[in-house]
Amino acid sequence: MVDVNVMLHELVPEHTLLSEEEAKKVLEGLKIKVDQLPKIRKDDPVLKILEMVEGEITEGRIIKVTRRSESAGVSVVYRMVVERVK
Amino acid sequence: MIGRGVSKRIKSIKFAFLSPEEMRRLSATKIITADTYDDDGFPIDMGLMDPHLGVIEPGLRCKTCGKKVDDCPGHFGHIDLAMPVIHVGYVKDIKNLLKATCRECGKLLLTDAQAKEYKKDMDRIGDSGGDFLDVMLVTKETAKDASKRQSCPHCKAVQRKITLDKPTTFREDGHKLTPKEVRERLEKIPDEDLIPLGIHPGIARPEWMVLTALLVPPVTVRPSITLESGDRSEDDLTHKLVDVLRINQRLRENRDAGAPQLIVEDLWELLQYHVTTYFDNQTSGIPPARHRSGRPLKTLAQRLKGKEGRFRSNLSGKRVNFSARTVISPDPLLSINEVGIPVETAKELTVPIRVTSYNIDTIKELIRNTVNPPEDLFYSAGVNYVIRPDNRRVKVTEKNAETLAESIDIGYTVERQLVDGDIVLFNRQPSLHRMSMMAHEVRVMPYKTFRFNLAVCPPYNADFDGDEMNLHVLQSEEARVEAKVLMRVQEHIISPRFGGPVIGAIHDYVTGSFLLTFRDSKFTREQVIKILARLDYEDLPPSRVEDGIEYWLGKELFNLALPKDLNIEFKASICQHCDDCKKKECDVDAFVHIKDGKISCGTIDEKAVGAFKGRILDKVARDYGSDRAREFIDTITKLALGAIMVRGFTTGIDDEDIPNEAKIQIEDLLKNAKREVDELVSAYREGILEQMPGRSLEETLEVEVMKVLGRARDTAGQIAGKHLGLENSAVIMAKSGARGSMLNLSQMAGSIGQQAVRGERIARGYWGRTLPHFRKNDLGAEAKGFVESSYKSGLAPTEYFFHSMGGREGLVDTAVRTSRSGYMQRRLINALEDLKVKQDGTVRNTADTIIQFKYGEDGVDPSRSIRGDAIDMDDILLEVLGERYWGLYTGEREKALASYGTQEKDMLSISFEEEEVEEE
């Protein structure tokens, strides 16, 4: 289905799908609602790969992105899956 | 969804067209004559200045609503156009509509099923929370799809190609479509076919995009001005409307008289031109309509658009009261927190003061002072206005001052003139960062300029070659407190941009501290008293005696400025970066060592106290707080100026004098370099030049030549530099970091060097040569822009020309860079202006969605970071280990850090020094 696994590329940070419980914990920790998170599109190449592992990822699920940061070493960011970004 | 701090949400905005009927309904009168006023100066009825359109002359009443000048909002009129014309603002939409609908039956060029499908798409996006723009995206697709069809699916009519001849002429297979025909086509489009195209037929019919009537704005929108000579001058819009009316009239007459088609068409086109320019006088493809003087008219679009338009000039930004602007000049005796203000300004600007039982007597005195100032004072504040509890303002005059003073009671407010110590905002444009607007304390002074300490020049980027600055007086207690706490100059010594000081010694302050502290510079009692005269100090430092002569060491005088427990060690700006640092035994006294607030060795220069680089400044501001930092800067500026004045300091062209043998040496060197170049060129010609990998032979030659000539310039500079020691004023300035560089000096004394355009040796000009002075295809040094002379010896004519070429490029580059980076910054600011850091450390926008989970990902405030890190490991180790850490501090800190088991990343990799940008 996909020609290239973008997740193996060195410039693509680590993406993981949060389970519903983990998602709830994250939102409670930040004291926010899901739609206040930054967004990631459902047709993002990374999500296509993730979907091959996790099965269909519906709108509103949360993706955890762990990446290298020049200032903090490692930074963790959460993104909400959306069909289309405004 | 309403919530999370959103109190109101705009549910929808409707954009509609005005139908001709609606325009007529809106209209207070029909306009038929192009004349404005009759011979007696009265407005003509049904003319452009008809009194039904509102009032602009005071005293008159509006004929429509009966109100007076400021109460009547003005009323629209209308012009009935003899023939329809196209509205320029909608040509694109008209084009799309014409393309997407049938030329015969007017229906959308899609089958019913397709249309339904698109409509469903729109509904789906609308329902799933997509906004207006998303829905419009679908309608665009609909139109695009429909335009592709060759024939109508409903009436089978074959479609022709519609093209737009900019700005307002439509053609069908090359034949002109008159606006009337365009309008007829648009009329034919059925209501239900408009919805998939994104138009709501209830509020906007497409044929209204072709005008049959023109709305005339009220006179209040286009007031006429009466000049001193008594002549009336009309607004640009009125002028334009006169044009429209005139042509409209002629068109109607000609048409009704049955004039030839050609004449009618010409007039019709002329009417189209006038209506088009009435809306937008910068429509591409047609010449702008001009005033009699040749100035292009400012019509509707020009009133709104761009920097001088209504939005950016009158709505986003406004003129303000309680502000002043004048030329700035320096005053080193002011504290960095102060600003000197002319008496004239101080007497005009005011602060509102509430009358209370505590201050009523003082205020009465102030009011009396207004007209009877105490004679023994240079300046005394008065009161300009008294505001009574019913908000009536009374101006204080010679006559009423005494009675006003008596009538004052609690609850009154008076507008007091500025006094020393008032908090004001001071600003220099362009306001590129927050330090461009800081709060200062007022000092009323004689003469007519704003004055401030030179240490504050860098954040404002100010100099005194005619710069002007603005001043704003705060009008409420809250504002004053906020400004004092957040905006005072002393709170901005450390910049949030790179975490170093932006306020600090410059130019003479640096030279002065150098002269004060270099080696064992000594000062006599008389000199010391002169230097310290302006200073607040407890005890004169103990003097020393040598050969019966009493003296003080400059370093010991400088200690007066330092906090008593300051410990720091670093290399000064004059450091020569020897491979093997001798530290305290440094040959040029460049190793600064301060223990318990006492300098034991080292010279204080730019690296110690300079703006952007001052290490001591940085440490004092961080460790001792902004009050102490202000005191420090105030003290060192006075010390440095004392030192430079007591010693005297001057520079001239003879500072670049070098002995004859050095001149000969440089001459030889350059001769050799040129010979080397010639050898390279002949090697290239003979084909024995060794090509560099990845470069062509020509490029190899250029690189080699540049290398040789660059080296020659540097060596020439070194030879010259050898004869320019630290006793030389120009060298003192360059080495201490006050102004200029050694490169500048070597270009004055030695050789200017290769000139470049676009980073290459100069190659443009004539065929195969730069100037007629050279042979064709000469690749030698002189022929391609090498300037052998020095600024002091003067340039040969060819050299002068090459130098001008290089100089011009520099100027153009700066001009382009500033405008481009300015626009870039504007876009960046517009994108980021509503983001803020919340209590939990997240960065959010106004919708409260998260932009960054932690500010800067590490949550560190750059203005409190040490070279990018939250913690200064060196400083903590120094603090804890004290003496044991000293030797390790600068030299072997990496080893020390490792031995204490910290895994801190290399802090040296983040450069803390600000790149200095030279500009004149």
Side-chain angles (χ1 to χ4, degrees):
Chain A
M1 197 175 87
V2 280
D3 302 332
V4 189
N5 184 348
V6 288
M7 291 183 82
L8 298 179
H9 194 281
E10 60 168 346
L11 291 180
V12 177
E14 188 187 332
H15 287 66
T16 43
L17 178 72
L18 289 192
S19 69
E20 302 281 356
E21 300 86 71
E22 286 170 323
K24 209 174 143 198
K25 228 186 257 168
V26 165
L27 293 180
E28 273 168 12
L30 289 163
K31 298 193 177 117
I32 53 165
K33 302 216 171 74
V34 226
D35 61 333
Q36 282 170 277
L37 287 176
K39 314 289 186 283
I40 184 166
R41 279 169 68 139
K42 199 168 164 343
D43 53 7
D44 190 290
V46 169
L47 275 206
K48 287 198 177 141
I49 306 287
L50 264 185
E51 281 194 326
M52 288 164 71
V53 183
E54 308 275 356
E56 161 104 31
I57 299 174
T58 51
E59 209 170 18
R61 294 295 295 276
I62 297 176
I63 305 289
K64 177 178 167 186
V65 184
T66 315
R67 58 175 161 232
R68 281 160 173 278
S69 156
E70 205 180 301
S71 54
V74 176
S75 94
V76 180
V77 164
Y78 301 95
R79 289 179 176 273
M80 180 183 97
V81 178
V82 287
E83 290 283 346
R84 55 155 73 205
V85 183
K86 267 195 233 173
Chain B
M1 175 185 18
I2 287 192
R4 291 204 299 261
V6 180
S7 58
K8 277 171 190 162
R9 182 155 283 174
I10 296 169
K11 199 172 160 202
S12 67
I13 301 175
K14 224 159 47 173
F15 291 98
F17 304 141
L18 284 176
S19 71
E21 291 75 46
E22 201 168 351
M23 287 187 211
R24 290 186 190 109
R25 225 178 309 128
L26 220 57
S27 162
T29 178
K30 186 170 156 179
I31 313 288
I32 47 170
T33 58
D35 303 316
T36 46
Y37 297 97
D38 61 21
D39 296 338
D40 305 323
F42 288 108
I44 293 168
D45 265 358
M46 298 186 89
L48 275 170
M49 286 297 164
D50 192 300
H52 291 279
L53 299 182
V55 271
I56 40 172
E57 275 161 277
L60 293 179
R61 279 183 184 279
C62 171
K63 278 207 183 171
T64 305
C65 65
K67 288 179 186 156
K68 281 191 198 161
V69 167
D70 279 331
D71 301 312
C72 166
H75 310 277
F76 282 95
H78 81 279
I79 299 171
D80 277 320
L81 298 173
M83 306 282 259
V85 288
I86 283 161
H87 189 309
V88 257
Y90 296 109
V91 274
K92 248 197 178 147
D93 303 86
I94 294 175
K95 186 183 163 198
N96 291 336
L97 282 169
L98 290 179
K99 280 184 158 185
T101 55
C102 172
R103 63 187 301 271
E104 294 288 338
C105 67
K107 282 187 181 157
L108 185 62
L109 290 173
L110 288 175
T111 60
D112 290 339
Q114 281 175 308
K116 219 180 219 167
E117 194 56 41
Y118 275 119
K119 222 157 119 190
K120 240 203 268 92
D121 240 25
M122 282 170 70
D123 290 340
R124 188 178 57 79
I125 288 162
D127 291 342
S128 65
D131 64 10
F132 174 75
L133 285 174
D134 296 322
V135 180
M136 283 314 275
L137 227 61
V138 180
T139 68
K140 267 203 190 116
E141 245 167 74
T142 317
K144 217 171 135 194
D145 201 7
S147 321
K148 278 187 206 142
R149 228 170 231 278
Q150 303 290 324
S151 66
C152 175
H154 307 282
C155 71
K156 311 292 177 227
V158 179
Q159 302 301 312
R160 296 187 189 163
K161 196 170 160 51
I162 303 271
T163 48
L164 172 61
D165 208 358
K166 284 212 166 143
T168 48
T169 317
F170 286 100
R171 288 178 193 279
E172 191 180 48
D173 277 355
H175 293 287
K176 231 185 220 170
L177 285 177
T178 64
K180 204 171 157 194
E181 287 167 314
V182 172
R183 193 166 203 275
E184 277 158 10
R185 294 238 178 134
L186 296 174
E187 273 167 9
K188 271 193 286 192
I189 305 173
D191 276 359
E192 62 272 17
D193 281 3
L194 287 175
I195 295 168
L197 289 168
I199 298 173
H200 193 300
I203 55 167
R205 278 293 312 178
E207 63 267 23
W208 299 341
M209 293 193 253
V210 181
L211 303 167
T212 55
L214 189 67
L215 211 53
V216 175
V219 282
T220 42
V221 172
R222 41 184 182 90
S224 50
I225 7 173
T226 319
L227 298 169
E228 283 148 56
S229 56
D231 293 339
R232 234 191 265 264
S233 172
E234 296 298 337
D235 191 272
D236 281 3
L237 276 188
T238 312
H239 280 301
K240 203 64 237 177
L241 286 166
V242 167
D243 292 341
V244 171
L245 275 169
R246 243 190 238 132
I247 301 305
N248 195 40
Q249 187 64 27
R250 266 175 66 195
L251 178 60
R252 177 173 293 128
E253 283 163 9
N254 274 288
R255 187 197 56 192
D256 293 349
Q261 185 68 20
L262 211 66
I263 291 180
V264 173
E265 254 170 43
D266 274 0
L267 283 169
W268 196 356
E269 241 161 63
L270 199 54
L271 182 68
Q272 175 73 61
Y273 168 79
H274 284 307
V275 173
T276 302
T277 47
Y278 166 71
F279 286 116
D280 184 358
N281 201 15
Q282 278 170 347
T283 317
S284 59
I286 52 170
R290 286 174 193 279
H291 194 253
R292 255 172 313 194
S293 62
R295 165 185 66 86
L297 292 172
K298 238 182 145 189
T299 55
L300 287 174
Q302 278 67 53
R303 283 191 175 202
L304 310 176
K305 256 187 198 165
K307 197 141 108 211
E308 264 109 67
R310 196 94 323 135
F311 294 102
R312 272 174 78 180
S313 182
N314 303 111
L315 262 15
S316 301
K318 287 187 166 70
R319 288 179 175 264
V320 290
N321 288 327
F322 304 104
S323 64
R325 178 182 176 96
T326 181
V327 175
I328 51 167
S329 52
D331 188 337
L333 296 181
L334 289 177
S335 162
I336 54 164
N337 271 342
E338 291 178 308
V339 60
I341 287 173
V343 174
E344 290 84 347
T345 313
K347 290 214 156 288
E348 194 64 43
L349 297 174
T350 58
V351 176
I353 305 282
R354 210 63 211 245
V355 180
T356 64
S357 56
Y358 303 102
N359 65 13
I360 184 157
D361 293 331
T362 350
I363 285 177
K364 282 184 177 171
E365 196 54 38
L366 275 179
I367 298 177
R368 292 193 186 101
N369 278 353
T370 316
V371 285
N372 270 327
E375 267 165 38
D376 50 333
L377 290 178
F378 152 70
Y379 169 82
S380 76
V383 170
N384 284 355
Y385 280 96
V386 170
I387 303 165
R388 303 202 309 224
D390 61 357
N391 275 335
R392 284 278 291 270
R393 297 162 66 89
V394 187
K395 189 166 172 63
V396 179
T397 60
E398 193 123 4
K399 276 187 201 148
N400 69 7
E402 192 53 42
T403 35
L404 267 181
E406 283 312 311
S407 72
I408 290 293
D409 207 349
I410 290 156
Y412 277 55
T413 305
V414 297
E415 294 199 326
R416 191 209 68 208
Q417 294 165 356
L418 290 188
V419 294
D420 287 0
D422 275 334
I423 296 286
V424 293
L425 299 186
F426 200 38
N427 157 244
R428 180 180 176 275
Q429 279 124 349
S431 313
L432 295 175
H433 54 192
R434 70 184 201 199
M435 287 83 79
S436 289
M437 192 174 226
M438 294 190 285
H440 289 248
E441 285 161 20
V442 165
R443 272 274 290 271
V444 183
M445 305 179 107
Y447 309 117
K448 298 198 172 174
T449 55
F450 287 143
R451 264 146 292 171
F452 57 89
N453 192 306
L454 291 100
V456 199
C457 284
Y460 288 123
N461 192 16
D463 47 37
F464 305 108
D465 58 4
D467 289 22
E468 292 182 41
M469 282 178 73
N470 304 323
L471 181 124
H472 299 266
V473 182
L474 297 160
Q475 296 291 307
S476 78
E477 203 57 60
E478 293 90 333
R480 273 190 291 275
V481 169
E482 196 167 306
K484 195 164 179 174
V485 172
L486 299 173
M487 299 178 72
R488 211 140 63 120
V489 176
Q490 65 176 46
E491 311 300 331
H492 290 91
I493 295 171
I494 306 263
S495 161
R497 185 161 100 242
F498 58 95
V502 271
I503 295 169
I506 52 167
H507 303 166
D508 278 5
Y509 289 155
V510 177
T511 313
S513 11
F514 175 89
L515 295 176
L516 182 71
T517 56
F518 184 55
R519 298 235 160 101
D520 53 349
S521 55
K522 300 183 178 104
F523 296 89
T524 63
R525 172 170 283 269
E526 192 189 350
Q527 289 175 320
V528 168
I529 285 166
K530 270 190 181 163
I531 293 171
L532 302 184
R534 301 272 181 185
L535 236 56
D536 235 5
Y537 57 94
E538 274 154 29
D539 290 304
L540 200 63
S543 62
R544 297 170 180 236
V545 180
E546 193 177 307
D547 299 336
I549 303 162
E550 186 191 35
Y551 71 91
W552 277 263
L553 276 178
K555 286 189 169 79
E556 284 173 349
L557 297 182
F558 188 82
N559 287 342
L560 285 171
L562 295 171
K564 292 291 156 261
D565 54 349
L566 183 87
N567 295 306
I568 193 169
E569 209 176 61
F570 61 93
K571 287 172 189 164
S573 177
I574 51 168
C575 173
Q576 297 183 318
H577 306 286
C578 319
D579 295 330
D580 196 18
C581 184
K582 290 196 209 160
K583 304 231 161 140
K584 290 189 189 180
E585 273 74 50
C586 179
D587 296 333
V588 286
D589 198 23
F591 190 76
V592 184
H593 177 103
I594 296 172
K595 194 170 173 242
D596 298 329
K598 291 197 166 53
I599 311 178
S600 66
C601 65
T603 307
I604 303 301
D605 55 20
E606 197 195 12
K607 276 285 272 302
V609 292
F612 302 120
K613 293 184 181 167
R615 291 287 303 274
I616 301 181
L617 201 58
D618 187 49
K619 194 165 171 68
V620 171
R622 281 176 203 287
D623 294 359
Y624 299 87
S626 52
D627 280 322
R628 187 65 183 82
R630 186 214 57 235
E631 194 190 323
F632 178 72
I633 296 174
D634 287 345
T635 316
I636 56 161
T637 55
K638 285 169 189 164
L639 276 174
L641 280 199
I644 199 172
M645 285 167 76
V646 119
R647 199 203 93 135
F649 191 79
T650 181
T651 184
I653 193 66
D654 59 350
D655 273 339
E656 284 78 41
D657 275 342
I658 47 170
N660 240 341
E661 65 257 30
K663 274 188 206 158
I664 294 163
Q665 221 177 332
I666 290 173
E667 221 168 275
D668 286 346
L669 174 90
L670 295 174
K671 212 181 279 167
N672 280 335
K674 278 192 291 188
R675 200 172 47 237
E676 240 180 285
V677 171
D678 289 338
E679 276 162 21
L680 281 168
V681 171
S682 54
Y684 162 75
R685 291 251 152 83
E686 286 160 33
I688 52 172
L689 187 71
E690 199 179 325
Q691 197 170 347
M692 284 165 81
R695 286 226 156 84
S696 71
L697 210 54
E698 289 76 21
E699 285 170 342
T700 310
L701 176 71
E702 285 301 306
V703 171
E704 291 294 336
V705 169
M706 289 283 257
K707 221 190 276 170
V708 170
L709 294 176
R711 203 165 45 220
R713 205 247 339 254
D714 292 344
T715 331
Q718 274 163 21
I719 295 169
K722 236 182 271 165
H723 299 278
L724 305 171
L726 263 178
E727 68 291 333
N728 183 312
S729 299
V731 176
I732 289 180
M733 288 193 288
K735 289 258 163 98
S736 65
R739 196 76 223 229
S741 62
M742 285 314 282
L743 175 72
N744 293 153
L745 292 185
S746 75
Q747 284 190 324
M748 285 189 267
S751 162
I752 295 173
Q754 179 66 47
Q755 298 298 306
V757 168
R758 298 227 169 160
E760 283 162 3
R761 293 161 79 203
I762 289 168
R764 46 182 71 182
Y766 301 90
W767 259 29
R769 53 180 164 175
T770 49
L771 286 172
H773 306 66
F774 306 105
R775 293 184 177 284
K776 268 188 192 169
N777 301 318
D778 186 350
L779 292 173
E782 299 99 324
K784 300 266 259 168
F786 183 72
V787 181
E788 188 187 336
S789 317
S790 65
Y791 284 118
K792 207 177 138 213
S793 68
L795 282 74
T798 52
E799 291 180 332
Y800 187 90
F801 195 87
F802 292 134
H803 185 254
S804 303
M805 288 175 80
R808 165 76 62 83
E809 189 188 48
L811 290 182
V812 171
D813 273 3
T814 6
V816 171
R817 237 199 343 261
T818 43
S819 67
R820 232 204 319 238
S821 67
Y823 183 43
M824 257 194 250
Q825 196 187 19
R826 186 180 144 75
R827 283 177 297 183
L828 191 66
I829 288 172
N830 282 340
L832 301 183
E833 62 185 354
D834 61 347
L835 302 189
K836 66 182 186 186
V837 183
K838 293 282 173 109
Q839 288 280 284
D840 61 357
T842 57
V843 180
R844 304 198 191 192
N845 62 12
T846 41
D848 227 16
T849 54
I850 293 181
I851 303 299
Q852 209 169 36
F853 284 83
K854 211 166 187 193
Y855 172 74
E857 293 184 339
D858 56 359
V860 172
D861 174 356
S863 62
R864 277 152 216 256
S865 71
I866 308 289
R867 275 140 279 167
D869 278 301
I871 295 167
D872 186 352
M873 217 46 212
D874 276 337
D875 203 54
I876 293 170
L877 287 175
L878 182 63
E879 204 72 38
V880 175
L881 298 169
E883 285 297 313
R884 276 193 292 157
Y885 192 62
W886 264 122
L888 305 169
Y889 188 37
T890 35
E892 296 159 61
R893 45 178 290 279
E894 285 82 7
K895 246 187 271 172
L897 290 174
S899 68
Y900 288 104
T902 50
Q903 302 147 346
E904 209 192 357
K905 64 179 172 189
D906 189 10
M907 291 190 295
L908 294 173
S909 64
I910 299 162
S911 170
F912 151 72
E913 280 168 22
E914 163 82 344
E915 186 192 336
E916 203 181 336
V917 189
E918 282 290 328
E919 70 226 89
E920 299 307 331

